[in-house]
Amino acid sequence: MDEQLHERVRDVISSVPAGKVATYGDIAAVAGAPSPRLVGRILAEDGHDLPWHRILRANGTPAPHLAHRQLELLRAEGVLADGQKVNLRRYRWQV
């Protein structure tokens, strides 16, 4: 993978403010990544120091294996979910 792209993705994720969320697709679009899956891969492999919990799937839900912890962290920032889904119209980060 292109190291510059990798760093752009990390920079965009870092810029999502507390109390806001973005989708993997949002991050890919802003960073110029070819796919949202690449964003997920970067988070999985090199996202421990990033606000990973602010990145959701396109339908406003967290990845199932992260759901409990992710929603807990978002709740602490004032992002409330309806069940397992975050209202993207209300909480989505606008670049």
Side-chain angles (χ1 to χ4, degrees), residues 24-94:
Y24 293 97
D26 294 339
I27 301 300
V30 173
S35 101
R37 288 182 185 265
L38 180 64
V39 174
R41 188 172 128 210
I42 290 169
L43 277 172
E45 295 174 2
D46 188 31
H48 63 282
D49 61 335
L50 298 173
W52 61 268
H53 60 284
R54 298 179 189 149
I55 313 306
L56 300 168
R57 298 190 296 182
N59 65 359
T61 61
H65 67 288
L66 300 170
H68 179 75
R69 180 69 177 140
Q70 189 166 10
L71 293 174
E72 180 179 73
L73 291 169
L74 288 172
R75 192 176 316 110
E77 294 182 351
V79 176
L80 305 177
D82 183 10
Q84 297 273 312
K85 190 172 186 176
V86 171
N87 182 335
L88 293 176
R89 284 189 178 151
R90 180 171 182 190
Y91 295 108
R92 189 179 233 152
W93 173 56
Q94 300 298 317

Side-chain angles (χ1 to χ4, degrees), residues 2-46:
D2 177 337
E3 190 164 321
Q4 287 180 337
L5 174 59
H6 182 98
E7 288 307 313
R8 275 198 315 270
V9 169
R10 285 183 48 83
D11 288 346
V12 173
I13 292 168
S14 293
S15 66
V16 178
K20 294 294 182 182
V21 297
T23 66
Y24 293 97
D26 294 339
I27 301 300
V30 173
S35 101
R37 288 182 185 265
L38 180 64
V39 174
R41 188 172 128 210
I42 290 169
L43 277 172
E45 295 174 2
D46 188 31

